[in-house]
Amino acid sequence: MRRSLVVGNWKMNGTRASTELLAKGIIAGLGSDIGDCAVCVPYVFLAEIGEIIKNSPLALGAQNVADKASGAYTGEVSASMLNEFGCRYALVGHSERRTYYGDTNLSVAERFCQAQTQNIIPILCIGETLDQREQEQTFSVVEEQLDAVIELAGINAFNAAVIAYEPVWAIGTGKTASDEQAQEVHQHIRAYIAGKDQTIADKIQILYGGSAKPDNAKGLFAMPDIDGGLIGGASLDADSFLKIYQSIKQ
Ligand code: PGA
């Protein structure tokens, strides 16, 4: 049985004061150990939030990581820097990075590899746009996004990685994929990985992301191939985030 994982993605939100309160609120309500839980915070808050959640079950994550190890790359943050601040996870390939900042399948694969050089678990975000879904390209798009990483990192690298399926049309739009729509793609992703390595497919956590909320999380998480969620908007409120966390399979 795979352990569930719920990850908050705070994106570019919050102040030092508000994120401190948020982290404390989440820790206070985590309760019993029903699954894994993490928050991906803006880089500048890593140190403070890292201090607050130290010795708690809440894990720390970053929202991206550089595609290079070090050097003259102004504005980038390396995996070794994230490691120094205690990051367990780093998102790679979030659709907002792909759309607004030019992250490509190849640079996402490089980021994935960089994270792993520092024992940081990459959370590889994949998913189709509305246009691609309407043209029935969903499966081929996610396969292509996976292939870029498999080609560079090798399938064994997925022993220490998480996949987040996030249909782009569902992110921040209030339009969630139905339980069945999400399950269909999750199942496809798992089967695709199984075609390369059955053991990895059985064990890898595949999260759903895209307008997941307290009132739809339970249905989504009940699906056999959905192992938790990557939560944006609803992770900015400790109560909603905790309700979503409490909706995971136990
Ligand atoms: P959302 O974002 O929950 O606000 O739709 C999810 C994400 O982008 O990870």
Side-chain angles (χ1 to χ4, degrees):
M1 174 84 184
R2 289 180 296 274
R3 211 170 140 78
S4 297
L5 167 65
V6 172
V7 180
N9 173 12
W10 292 354
K11 308 194 180 184
M12 195 173 72
N13 291 295
T15 62
R16 290 173 84 167
S18 73
T19 53
E20 190 182 317
L21 274 179
L22 179 54
K24 286 181 176 162
I26 295 169
I27 294 166
L30 268 182
S32 58
D33 178 33
I34 56 172
D36 298 330
C37 192
V39 283
C40 292
V41 314
Y43 289 139
V44 289
F45 298 146
L46 282 172
E48 269 171 75
I49 303 298
E51 265 314 300
I52 292 168
I53 70 180
K54 206 162 66 185
N55 306 320
S56 87
L58 186 60
L60 190 65
Q63 297 174 12
N64 195 10
V65 57
D67 55 347
K68 307 281 194 314
S70 68
Y73 301 103
T74 303
E76 290 296 306
V77 173
S78 72
S80 64
M81 293 169 186
L82 297 182
N83 183 28
E84 202 177 341
F85 282 84
C87 281
R88 177 167 166 79
Y89 298 100
L91 302 181
V92 298
H94 190 281
S95 76
E96 286 149 17
R97 299 293 324 169
R98 294 178 190 261
T99 307
Y100 306 134
Y101 300 99
D103 289 15
T104 60
N105 275 344
L106 179 60
S107 88
V108 170
E110 282 164 344
R111 292 169 203 279
F112 180 104
C113 292
Q114 281 301 321
Q116 289 193 331
T117 64
Q118 298 296 321
N119 295 319
I120 293 169
I121 300 171
I123 301 178
L124 172 64
C125 305
I126 58 177
E128 82 289 1
T129 61
L130 185 56
D131 207 37
Q132 290 165 333
R133 171 161 285 260
E134 282 168 352
Q135 315 230 349
E136 297 183 358
Q137 293 168 348
T138 300
F139 290 166
S140 61
V141 168
V142 297
E143 285 174 18
E144 225 172 89
Q145 291 169 329
L146 286 169
D147 278 344
V149 180
I150 296 169
E151 269 162 36
L152 193 72
I155 190 66
N156 285 333
F158 285 76
N159 271 307
V162 172
I163 295 171
Y165 167 60
E166 298 204 301
V168 179
W169 49 272
I171 297 178
T173 57
K175 273 193 223 150
T176 324
S178 69
D179 303 344
E180 294 72 23
Q181 269 175 329
Q183 165 60 20
E184 184 189 29
V185 186
H186 279 240
Q187 188 177 30
H188 184 84
I189 294 168
R190 200 176 303 282
Y192 191 71
I193 304 268
K196 323 251 174 213
D197 190 305
Q198 184 69 52
T199 314
I200 294 175
D202 289 340
K203 108 171 189 207
I204 194 163
Q205 292 164 318
I206 308 180
L207 313 183
Y208 169 79
S211 298
K213 301 273 181 301
D215 60 359
N216 59 28
K218 206 168 185 128
L220 287 161
F221 297 169
M223 294 288 124
D225 289 298
I226 301 184
D227 306 313
L230 178 56
I231 318 299
S235 74
L236 296 172
D237 176 79
D239 281 349
S240 344
F241 185 62
L242 287 165
K243 281 195 187 118
I244 295 172
Y245 172 70
Q246 280 143 10
S247 307
I248 58 182
K249 289 189 267 274
Q250 301 183 23

